[in-house]
């Protein structure tokens, strides 16, 4: 109970939740089986059903579900926005589930408002964030969201080529852009750092550690991607705002932007020889589709819907587009349709007469990366607890590999195992296991496409794993683990002897932040040389955050970046490593 008692200032809700936990101990096993989401409840827990009564003068939201707790229209509108910003990524716009459980009223209403508060407020080892104790939500917001998810999910509008074009802006037309690099920065070692809650990215000089520019972007930028030439940086926010940044400018900044929908996660550019910088592609969570664009202006050219049948033969109305990568073998993009479990191979040589191939894998597809040869794409089907492997040379599925619970590799980690040859590794949200998969069917066929070793990390809640060709370290975060000691530290393994226990490093302590922020440590990212690892120490918007730079050889804290402009830093993308798929 230590975790519950340390937040004594949250007395009203803590009292309810602590009582609910004590009375509901018998349900713990079921809750764990449900990967941290609501399981069966005891009669005592069911007694806590009363949501706060709205003010009499407030306009009421006209619920389509009569069993849902009451909400005012203002409450519903606010909750809908919060859900979009914080929850839809895991649970889906229509709340049908993916990485997170489905949150449809038939499942949530029987649990009751106060029971749902427990999981929203305190999270779970399986990856549900502890929204209350982290400081991201207050008690009223937890109550608001517990009531909201008992209502039917509203269906957002569609988004057309015309809608996109209306939002497109060219701040600097192509003809007016630099003809050559106009600054003295070592562009290859620039980091694009997501400032999640301020709707910005920080461009940081990896050599001097100075901030080059804070660039206005969409909300909670999910990824940054580089054009094949390394000149253009593409960043996409969860609000589907796509920004194009020219790194050749004297002070790198936006040259174009466009909204491609209402919610998004992915962007990529053409890399095949002869097509460098020509075509860009971005995918949306809503509407479920992807769009192909001109690489230098973002002018939209072609929309493709991903709605259709799943690998199980059922129709799905919301197959969200997750990871997109550019093939190095052909002029093709690989597009993950999350809910259907299908990987699209999109030939971008003729946008007018677009050719696509759909490869069946497993649900629910999320993120992934290439093996060290850049031929095979390994991607997590996280709700199926599998890694799918696509041979981009033959455009066929090479393997479906069972791994631990809810794999979440980011782009994964490539290295040479002392016993099994070339491998790729993934950690996960659902348990402490780290799967090491053989990736060399040519010279190490016996080890190819199977888990050759499973490591034990700190626990569930891991988002990213990383190494570098010049390193002997394998770094694993546990960002979403509800135990602060775990979420604020990282595990580092010695690749030369993976039977040794990992060293645990308290990254948050290195930051020396003097407040009570969550200080979650997220996403190890190497510099170009491979001798530094950058970590984000991520707290709430009203708390202090930082970036901690660790010396990879000594595993000691080297530098702390705590500029007040670094608001909720999360993802970091080194230009060279991102451009060349080094991970």
């Amino acid at each position: 109970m230590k975790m519950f008692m340390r937040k004594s200032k949250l007395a009203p809700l803590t009292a309810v939740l602590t009582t609910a936990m004590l009375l509901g101990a018998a349900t713990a096993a079921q809750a764990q089986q449900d990967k941290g989401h609501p399981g069966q409840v005891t009669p005592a827990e069911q007694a806590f059903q009363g949501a706060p009564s709205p003010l009499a003068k407030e306009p009421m939201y006209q619920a389509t579900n009569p069993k849902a707790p009451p909400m005012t229209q203002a409450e519903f509108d606010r909750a809908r926005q919060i859900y979009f910003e914080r929850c839809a990524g895991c649970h889906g716009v229509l709340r049908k589930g993916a990485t997170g459980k489905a949150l449809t009223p038939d499942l949530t209403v029987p649990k009751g408002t106060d029971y749902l508060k427990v999981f929203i407020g305190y999270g779970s080892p399986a990856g549900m964030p502890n929204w209350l104790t982290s400081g991201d939500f207050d008690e009223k917001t937890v109550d608001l969201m517990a009531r909201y998810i008992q209502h039917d999910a509203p269906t957002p509008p569609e988004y057309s080529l015309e809608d996109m074009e209306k939002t497109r802006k060219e701040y600097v037309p192509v003809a007016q852009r630099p003809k050559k690099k106009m600054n003295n920065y070592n562009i290859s070692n620039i980091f694009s750092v997501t400032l999640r809650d301020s709707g910005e990215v920080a461009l940081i000089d990896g050599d001097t550690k100075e901030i080059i520019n804070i660039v206005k972007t969409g909300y909670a930028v999910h990824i940054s991607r580089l054009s094949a030439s390394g000149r253009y940086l593409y960043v996409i926010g969860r609000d589907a705002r796509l920004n194009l940044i020219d790194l050749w400018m004297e002070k790198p900044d936006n040259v174009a932007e466009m909204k491609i929908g209402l919610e998004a996660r992915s962007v990529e550019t053409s890399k095949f020889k002869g097509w460098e910088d020509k075509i860009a592609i971005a995918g949306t969570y809503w509407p479920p589709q992807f769009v192909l664009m001109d690489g230098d202006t973002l002018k939209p050219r072609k929309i493709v819907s991903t709605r259709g049948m799943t690998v199980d033969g059922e129709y799905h109305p919301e197959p969200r587009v997750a990871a997109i990568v550019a093939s190095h073998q052909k002029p093709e993009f690989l597009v993950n349709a999350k809910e259907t479990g299908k990987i699209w191979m999109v030939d971008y040589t003729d946008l007018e007469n677009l050719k696509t191939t759909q490869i069946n894998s497993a649900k629910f597809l999320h993120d992934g990366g290439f093996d060290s040869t850049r031929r095979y794409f390994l991607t997590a089907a996280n709700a199926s607890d599998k890694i799918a492997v696509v041979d981009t040379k033959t455009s066929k599925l090479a393997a479906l590999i069972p791994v631990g619970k809810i794999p979440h590799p980011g782009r994964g980690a490539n290295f040479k195992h002392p016993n099994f040859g070339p491998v790729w590794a993934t950690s996960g949200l659902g348990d402490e296991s780290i799967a090491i998969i053989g990736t060399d069917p040519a010279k190490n066929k016996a080890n190819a496409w199977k888990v050759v070793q499973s490591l034990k990390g700190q626990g569930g809640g891991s988002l990213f794993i990383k190494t570098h060709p010049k390193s002997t370290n394998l770094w694993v975060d546990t960002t979403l683990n509800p135990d602060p000691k775990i979420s604020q530290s990282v595990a580092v393994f010695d690749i030369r002897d993976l039977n040794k226990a990992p060293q645990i490093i308290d990254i948050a302590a290195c930051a020396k932040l003097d407040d009570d922020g969550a200080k979650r440590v997220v996403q190890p990212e190497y510099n170009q040389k491979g001798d530094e690892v950058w970590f984000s120490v991520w707290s709430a918007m009203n708390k202090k955050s930082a970036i901690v730079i660790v010396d990879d050889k000594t595993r000691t804290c080297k530098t702390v970046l705590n500029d007040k402009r670094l608001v909720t830093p999360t993802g970091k993308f080194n230009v060279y490593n991102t451009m060349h798929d080094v991970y």
Side-chain angles (χ1 to χ4, degrees):
M1 298 303 294
K2 182 178 180 181
M3 179 183 73
F4 294 93
M5 298 307 293
R6 71 184 185 90
K7 291 284 182 178
S8 59
K9 66 180 181 179
L10 302 172
L13 181 55
T14 301
V16 173
L17 297 181
T18 302
T19 302
M21 282 300 199
L22 289 171
L23 294 174
T27 69
Q30 179 64 40
Q32 179 62 28
Q33 290 176 6
D34 284 348
K35 297 181 180 177
H37 292 269
Q40 300 299 315
V41 298
T42 66
E45 286 169 304
Q46 289 176 333
F48 294 99
Q49 298 294 327
S53 298
L55 296 175
K57 295 182 179 179
E58 289 287 337
M60 291 301 297
Y61 170 68
Q62 299 300 312
T64 55
N65 181 358
K67 295 182 180 180
M71 300 185 78
T72 67
Q73 186 65 53
E75 284 179 324
F76 187 86
D77 292 343
R78 179 168 177 260
R80 178 175 56 190
Q81 180 66 22
I82 292 171
Y83 181 87
F84 159 73
E85 293 178 347
R86 304 288 192 175
C87 314
C90 286
H91 299 284
V93 171
L94 301 181
R95 299 202 221 125
K96 294 183 179 294
T99 305
K101 288 288 187 179
L103 296 176
T104 48
D106 60 311
L107 301 174
T108 56
V109 169
K111 310 304 179 191
T113 301
D114 286 293
Y115 186 82
L116 295 170
K117 288 180 185 179
V118 173
F119 294 93
I120 296 172
Y122 292 103
S124 76
M128 175 70 175
N130 51 322
W131 294 111
L132 178 68
T133 56
S134 68
D136 290 291
F137 288 0
D138 58 19
E139 295 176 33
K140 291 183 179 179
T141 304
V142 170
D143 176 80
L144 178 74
M145 299 311 295
R147 287 183 286 134
Y148 174 75
I149 61 175
Q150 296 175 70
H151 288 265
D152 292 325
T155 302
E158 302 295 323
Y159 218 77
S160 67
L161 278 174
E162 183 180 2
D163 294 327
M164 294 180 195
E165 182 61 30
K166 287 178 180 178
T167 70
R168 189 171 68 91
K169 302 172 184 176
E170 278 191 66
Y171 298 113
V172 184
V174 174
Q176 297 176 21
R177 296 176 196 170
K179 305 301 180 185
K180 61 180 181 179
K181 183 171 168 285
M182 300 299 291
N183 58 62
N184 295 320
Y185 298 117
N186 174 15
I187 288 179
S188 293
N189 201 34
I190 288 176
F191 286 76
S192 175
V193 179
T194 298
L195 305 182
R196 189 187 192 281
D197 293 318
S198 66
E200 299 167 323
V201 295
L203 302 180
I204 302 179
D205 186 332
D207 293 345
T208 67
K209 314 300 188 290
E210 298 292 328
I211 295 176
I212 296 169
N213 197 12
I214 302 291
V215 182
K216 289 292 182 183
T217 61
Y219 170 78
V221 165
H222 195 245
I223 58 170
S224 297
R225 290 290 180 261
L226 274 298
S227 65
S229 69
R231 172 178 184 171
Y232 290 117
L233 176 69
Y234 299 77
V235 297
I236 192 160
R238 292 181 180 232
D239 57 359
R241 178 177 167 184
L242 175 60
N243 288 75
L244 179 62
I245 298 169
D246 189 349
L247 298 178
W248 279 13
M249 296 172 68
E250 185 175 353
K251 185 178 182 180
D253 208 338
N254 284 315
V255 291
E257 73 168 59
M258 180 174 67
K259 267 186 70 71
I260 64 164
L262 300 180
E263 187 183 3
R265 293 294 188 278
S266 52
V267 64
E268 182 61 289
T269 65
S270 52
K271 292 182 177 178
F272 196 69
K273 187 176 181 179
W275 289 90
E276 298 90 343
D277 296 18
K278 290 187 177 180
I279 306 293
I281 181 173
T284 43
Y285 271 23
W286 191 271
Q289 61 192 31
F290 57 88
V291 58
L292 295 119
M293 303 159 278
D294 291 342
D296 56 357
T297 66
L298 304 185
K299 185 173 181 61
R301 297 294 186 184
K302 189 85 169 183
I303 289 178
V304 180
S305 172
T306 55
R307 290 184 174 99
M309 308 305 288
T310 70
V311 291
D312 298 329
E314 299 177 352
Y315 177 77
H316 200 289
E318 190 192 352
R320 299 171 293 169
V321 176
I324 302 177
V325 297
S327 172
H328 297 273
Q329 307 294 322
K330 300 177 182 178
E332 289 182 336
F333 294 118
L334 286 82
V335 179
N336 279 354
K338 184 185 287 279
E339 281 74 13
T340 59
K342 295 187 177 183
I343 302 168
W344 294 54
M345 309 290 288
V346 181
D347 183 336
Y348 52 74
T349 57
D350 184 356
L351 301 188
E352 192 65 32
N353 303 289
L354 196 69
K355 296 179 181 178
T356 64
T357 300
Q358 295 183 45
I359 300 173
N360 285 354
S361 60
K363 303 183 296 187
F364 290 76
L365 292 167
H366 192 61
D367 207 355
F370 288 104
D371 76 310
S372 58
T373 69
R374 301 192 302 183
R375 172 174 173 173
Y376 296 97
F377 175 54
L378 295 94
T379 185
N382 46 32
S384 298
D385 302 332
K386 291 182 172 66
I387 296 294
V389 184
V390 174
D391 184 343
T392 61
K393 188 172 183 178
T394 64
S395 298
K396 293 182 178 179
L397 186 73
L400 270 178
I401 308 165
V403 292
K405 293 182 179 179
I406 321 179
H408 194 288
R411 308 207 85 179
N414 287 301
F415 58 94
K416 190 170 183 179
H417 194 285
N419 300 322
F420 303 111
V423 295
W424 179 92
T426 179
S427 54
L429 287 162
D431 62 26
E432 74 279 4
S433 68
I434 298 161
I436 300 177
I437 297 168
T439 61
D440 185 10
K443 297 181 181 179
N444 292 272
K445 188 174 181 179
N447 301 324
W449 315 137
K450 63 180 65 174
V451 177
V452 296
Q453 186 174 2
S454 181
L455 307 179
K456 184 177 181 179
Q458 292 197 83
S462 177
L463 290 178
F464 298 102
I465 184 170
K466 193 64 67 76
T467 188
H468 189 278
K470 296 180 181 179
S471 175
T472 59
N473 290 325
L474 179 66
W475 301 85
V476 185
D477 69 20
T478 37
T479 312
L480 297 184
N481 195 289
D483 185 339
K485 290 184 178 179
I486 295 176
S487 66
Q488 294 177 7
S489 61
V490 297
V492 54
F493 294 84
D494 186 342
I495 290 172
R496 297 165 297 185
D497 185 1
L498 290 167
N499 293 317
K500 291 194 309 186
Q503 180 182 353
I504 307 302
I505 301 177
D506 190 340
I507 299 294
C510 295
K512 297 181 180 179
L513 300 177
D514 58 355
D515 63 20
D516 60 351
K519 304 173 190 173
R520 298 188 189 108
V521 174
V522 62
Q523 201 216 25
E525 176 74 349
Y526 277 86
N527 63 344
Q528 181 187 6
K529 291 181 180 179
D531 59 4
E532 293 177 350
V533 192
W534 293 37
F535 294 91
S536 296
V537 181
W538 169 30
S539 289
M541 190 173 184
N542 62 340
K543 303 292 182 180
K544 294 179 181 178
S545 294
I547 293 172
V548 172
I549 301 171
V550 176
D551 184 297
D552 183 67
K553 185 175 182 180
T554 64
R555 300 181 177 178
T556 57
C557 299
K558 180 178 179 180
T559 308
V560 176
L561 308 182
N562 56 10
D563 190 295
K564 64 181 180 180
R565 293 174 291 173
L566 297 178
V567 178
T568 59
T570 51
K572 300 162 299 301
F573 302 88
N574 176 268
V575 166
Y576 182 88
N577 294 336
T578 304
M579 179 179 166
H580 295 281
D581 289 305
V582 176
Y583 33 79

